[in-house]
Amino acid sequence: MKRAVWAVLGATMMAGTVQAAERPAITGISHIAVYSADAAATEQFYKDKLGAEKLPDPEDPRGVRYRFSAQQFVEVLPLPAGQGISRLAHIAFSTSDAAKLRTYLAAHRVQEVSPVKKGADGSLWFSARDPEGNEVQFVQSPNADSSPAVGAISGRMIHMGFLVHSRAVEDRFYRDLLGFRPYWYGSMKEGTTDWVSQQVPDGHDWLEYMMVGDGSTTPLSKIDGRELGVLNHFSLGVPNMEAAVTTLIAGDRLSPRHDGPQMGRDGKWQANLYDPDGTRVELMEFQPVTKPCCSAFTADSPTH
């Protein structure tokens, strides 16, 4: 995969020296944007099976939003010609001040930082690229309401994850520059690292590096479209996995491809559904119920 060029941080920026006063708050997940080859099938999955509310896309008139709460949603965009195997368009975090955060990133010589734009709903947002070339947006919402969508299996997105080749390279952006905080790391096998989680600096939502290549249990030769859909994913928090899955089964709302429930390596119950293009949607209980493998949690888990 082609990686975007990312400028080296200023000479005075050393690992772990980010001062929160230099940047506005980054409070949680705003949304994830994915590509779809079949709009009708995708609508059935997000609207009918997951119960999200379908809305116009204020950011891109070609797209559709599937809202889980007033603050969090999946943005679905039409699959571009020649897109390749990835169905991930971008990830997005919420910020208290998009303009100030944009100035902060530009001052630290992050490349491909767009101007601040205004959505049709009054939101302010801009995009940038992380060191491995992933598009990352930062959104300042005009709406303080966080109430869940009626009928949604969950009203709370608690984490997003995507393929990462180099933890150290990505840490320069997410941890050293933006101030994300260590949360947990783990693996399927001792002596390797498959998942590295870090919470946003001013909340409990987290970003999960899905490690591939040397040092992980996922070789680069295994990365095809199906595997990439597993790696590039988002998670919906539920208070009780048994109740959530029972609701899905009773309403014939399971996706054709699904797995679980099972106990995750982080000690939390989880179950997976997959949208028609293979993007994984992970249901996860908010709190661990048993000791996690590999490392202890170093920050509080979300409670709701």
Side-chain angles (χ1 to χ4, degrees), residues 13 22 33 83 105 110 114 148 186-188 195 206 215 235 260 278 288 300:
M13 175 63 73
E22 295 179 350
Q83 167 59 28
L105 292 184
V110 174
S114 77
S187 181
M188 293 298 296
W195 315 290
W206 71 92
S235 178
D300 292 336

Side-chain angles (χ1 to χ4, degrees), residues 1 85-86 163-165 210-213 216-232:
M1 297 182 183
I85 63 174
S86 177
L163 177 151
V164 167
H165 298 87
M210 306 295 288
M211 303 302 304
V212 301
S216 79
T217 61
T218 304
L220 292 175
S221 59
K222 186 182 177 181
I223 307 303
D224 56 13
R226 184 181 177 91
E227 181 67 20
L228 195 54
V230 173
L231 300 173
N232 296 339

Side-chain angles (χ1 to χ4, degrees), residues 31-97:
H31 66 276
I32 186 171
V34 298
Y35 293 122
S36 166
D38 185 333
T42 300
E43 178 175 341
Q44 183 184 43
F45 176 77
Y46 286 107
K47 182 174 178 287
D48 299 336
K49 295 191 179 301
L50 295 185
E53 180 184 5
K54 181 183 178 181
L55 294 170
D57 187 350
E59 180 182 320
D60 189 331
R62 301 171 302 165
V64 177
R65 283 186 180 181
Y66 292 99
R67 184 177 78 95
F68 293 99
S69 74
Q71 297 288 334
Q72 295 181 316
F73 55 91
V74 174
E75 180 181 13
V76 175
L77 300 167
L79 182 66
Q83 167 59 28
I85 63 174
S86 177
R87 295 298 179 263
L88 177 64
H90 62 261
I91 62 171
F93 297 100
S94 298
T95 180
S96 60
D97 191 326

Side-chain angles (χ1 to χ4, degrees), residues 94-143:
S94 298
T95 180
S96 60
D97 191 326
K100 186 176 179 181
L101 184 57
R102 194 264 177 204
T103 299
Y104 174 78
L105 292 184
H108 287 89
R109 299 193 293 172
V110 174
Q111 291 192 347
E112 298 189 51
V113 179
S114 77
V116 174
K117 303 176 184 179
K118 188 172 185 178
D121 61 346
S123 61
L124 299 174
W125 63 274
F126 71 94
S127 64
R129 294 277 177 180
D130 75 12
E132 292 201 346
N134 301 292
E135 182 179 352
V136 186
Q137 293 187 357
F138 299 92
V139 181
Q140 179 182 343
S141 174
N143 188 351

